[in-house]
Amino acid sequence: MQQTRIIKPFEFPCGLKIKNRLVLAPMSTNNGTVEGGFSAEDVEFILKRGKGFGMIILGSHSVSPTGNAFERGWNIYNQANGPVLAKLVEKLHQKKTKVILQIYHAGRLAQPAFIGGKQPLAPSRIPANRKFASYPKEMTEDEIQQIIKDFQVACETAIELGFDGVELHGANTYLLQQFYSTHSNKREDEWGGNSKKRMKFLMEVIHACASRIKEKAERPFVLGYRFSPEEIELPGIRMADTKLLLRELTKLPLDYVHVSLNDYRKISQDGQNIIDELNQVIPPSIPFIGCGKIQTAEEASKVAELVPLLSVGNVTLTDPKWAQKILRGEDDIQLSIDIKDRKKLAIPLHLWEDMCKVPLMYFNQAIHKEVEK
């Protein structure tokens, strides 16, 4: 199948150019170093499956010691982690691949064990609907301003390390999303209440990062925003809320918006295809990255007709050559693997252990019983 649209170069509003429309989605391995940096396995993981992509987004780097969502997660606030990231960016640049750093704060999804035994921070003192959740501390004005600054500093660090941009992680119910959601934000001050006030925190973060980029970046540098279109919580974010948010986000100096979606065919709670609904409010001037269970060349081609850019993650776990095959129009995508394939596929140990907990998703049917032992 000829991938005429996918293979075309693309230029973001800031002027950054990428060689094709394929994006390696941000993935977390929970396999970082003690300091919260990329381990040797993490580096190999990215280099193994990054070939062919026009752009790679390195996932979930916390901007603050209070914001870690993973036991062995990554962070950008520890200077010791910089050299490995800079070297990885350099290697990817040698392949003409652009690299974006995803930055986040977990908010109430941070666990005390991962943040030095402290109480998680959140817009309001409402625990998440998670088994591991604890009662968070409602953020003070000083704490809000500090985290806005933390995002800004993280953005500057990414510039210094040679990245081509940052993606603000406003999805998966992390802190940026928590401020917008009526489930997690019950504040009655300027940071909560109506939709405009609930947007204020994420808007301030965007403006702070855009300001630092304008001040410090001497090359085209992307500022992107990732969002989840709906929440399962009641009350919570619905498509009407997301459309309202996107109408405001796309007025800001963003270079793209990136949906977080597990299937590009997914239907919203009001009965419409989510990507179709989002296309109704995202203007052509703001690039839209679509995603969600894109596996075959046919599916990639189909999604490329809906959005200018598409991101994939899971399928590269089983087939690290996915991007190269798609660009060639090949259909022999490997969708399942053998229990003995970890080292061959360069999958970090802790990520592999997580994959083994859902054997039907990744492993050959004949070995499910062995995986489950």
Side-chain angles (χ1 to χ4, degrees), residues 250-313:
T250 53
K251 296 175 185 177
L252 302 180
L254 289 174
D255 290 288
Y256 70 78
V257 290
H258 184 187
V259 69
S260 181
L261 199 60
N262 60 13
D263 195 321
Y264 74 91
R265 293 157 291 219
K266 190 171 183 178
I267 302 300
S268 68
Q269 295 176 44
D270 56 15
Q272 299 184 56
N273 177 274
I274 287 179
I275 287 185
D276 287 344
E277 285 198 76
L278 296 174
N279 272 324
Q280 295 171 16
V281 294
I282 299 173
S285 59
I286 302 294
F288 175 23
I289 303 180
C291 66
K293 208 174 183 179
I294 303 166
Q295 298 178 324
T296 67
E298 181 180 0
E299 289 168 341
S301 181
K302 186 178 296 184
V303 176
E305 295 301 318
L306 302 174
V307 294
L309 299 161
L310 54 142
S311 70
V312 300

